[in-house]
Amino acid sequence: MELRVIIVDDEPLAINVLKNYVEQVKQLQLVQTCSNAIDASSFLQENEVDIIFLDINMPILDGMEFLKSLQIVPMVVITTAHEEYALESFELEAIDYLVKPIPFPRFLKAINRIINLKQGAPKSGASKNEKPSIFVKVDKKKLQKIFIDEIIVVESLKDYVRIKTTSGKYIIHKTLGSFTEELPSDKFLRIHRSYTIAINKVEAIEGNSLEIDGIRYIIGRSYLSEAKSRILND
């Protein structure tokens, strides 16, 4: 999957930051940058685009009015220094709302969401066997693709997490809470301040613990009732 990207922003620094982020994700192809919505509109009339990174406060035509004017709307990610337009942007069906300065992990979360949406509803001719996946940053330059259905357990290591999958283990710089939010809530469950597990990988439950892949994990007292209910009813 390769997603064609256009950046629409009148701030050169913001464009450079987003260009750098896009270049780090091999599934993205930057096809154009525009400093105003008029140029972007002309480009979209003649070119197919999958994702627009769109600023709001721009000369001539602001981002919201530009978005309302589009007849064919790609997936739109709002990028702005202002928080107060979030509700309006989601009413216009923007996929995400990123507040500047945009950290790379937050950018990557938006991209993972888009990739999952694309894979969940493949276009005509696209493979229906594509499995949902996310990309995680495992070192300063490498982005690792992980299939959602291969994740077994995610373990907290303070400011890092260890992701155990059926094909390997990965350590990334992220908290357990923030990474858990990126996973499908119907498939994963926080059972302890130190563990999030894949519900369908649970092999046994005994007292305040469960077993996955032959390893026993303690269920925290505050998580016990929900954990047993979710796992037993899955």
Side-chain angles (χ1 to χ4, degrees):
M1 175 188 295
E2 186 172 69
L3 303 175
R4 292 165 56 84
V5 175
I6 179 174
I7 298 170
V8 186
D9 199 310
D10 69 335
E11 300 178 13
L13 178 59
I15 288 178
N16 287 336
V17 168
L18 288 170
K19 284 176 63 177
N20 178 53
Y21 288 174
V22 168
E23 289 169 359
Q24 293 189 56
V25 182
K26 65 180 181 180
Q27 277 67 29
L28 303 182
Q29 177 191 5
L30 181 63
V31 295
Q32 185 72 355
T33 63
C34 298
S35 60
N36 62 74
I38 303 301
D39 291 344
S41 181
S42 297
F43 182 83
L44 291 173
Q45 288 176 15
E46 300 180 0
N47 298 274
E48 182 177 346
V49 170
D50 297 294
I51 306 171
I52 304 177
F53 287 97
L54 178 64
D55 191 16
I56 293 176
N57 292 330
M58 291 185 294
I60 309 175
L61 184 67
D62 70 31
M64 292 302 186
E65 293 302 321
F66 166 67
L67 185 52
K68 293 174 184 177
S69 73
L70 295 178
Q71 294 183 341
I72 299 176
V73 184
M75 290 191 170
V76 176
V77 177
I78 299 295
T79 59
T80 178
H82 305 280
E83 298 182 0
E84 62 267 26
Y85 300 104
L87 179 59
E88 183 181 359
S89 73
F90 289 124
E91 288 176 347
L92 293 173
E93 299 185 349
I95 296 299
D96 213 332
Y97 191 92
L98 306 184
V99 179
K100 300 175 183 178
I102 302 166
F104 182 72
R106 184 65 184 85
F107 171 87
L108 192 58
K109 182 177 181 179
I111 297 304
N112 282 329
R113 179 178 297 169
I114 290 171
I115 289 174
N116 286 335
L117 287 171
K118 288 283 189 180
Q119 292 174 333
K123 293 182 179 179
S124 177
S127 172
K128 294 184 179 179
N129 295 320
E130 291 180 351
K131 297 195 297 182
S133 62
I134 60 174
F135 284 84
V136 296
K137 197 169 188 177
V138 296
D139 59 35
K140 292 183 178 180
K141 295 183 178 180
K142 183 179 179 181
L143 291 170
Q144 176 68 45
K145 183 177 184 177
I146 297 179
F147 291 109
I148 297 293
D149 64 2
E150 292 185 1
I151 297 175
I152 300 171
V153 175
V154 186
E155 178 184 359
S156 173
L157 303 173
K158 292 186 178 180
D159 294 331
Y160 293 79
V161 294
R162 179 189 291 119
I163 306 167
K164 182 180 180 182
T165 75
T166 56
S167 56
K169 296 180 181 179
Y170 309 94
I171 293 178
I172 66 171
H173 188 204
K174 186 166 289 191
T175 64
L176 181 61
S178 63
F179 185 72
T180 299
E181 288 179 357
E182 297 181 28
L183 299 174
S185 60
D186 61 327
K187 300 181 184 299
F188 292 87
L189 177 66
R190 182 94 176 252
I191 63 164
H192 191 276
R193 63 183 181 180
S194 297
Y195 301 109
T196 290
I197 57 95
I199 298 173
N200 68 349
K201 301 295 195 300
V202 175
E203 299 165 348
I205 302 177
E206 182 179 352
N208 67 335
S209 66
L210 55 80
E211 187 175 314
I212 299 179
D213 200 27
I215 300 174
R216 192 159 292 278
Y217 297 91
I218 297 297
I219 305 173
R221 182 180 301 175
S222 62
Y223 300 90
L224 188 58
S225 176
E226 180 186 0
K228 285 190 172 182
S229 176
R230 291 276 307 278
I231 293 168
L232 295 174
N233 290 321
D234 183 55

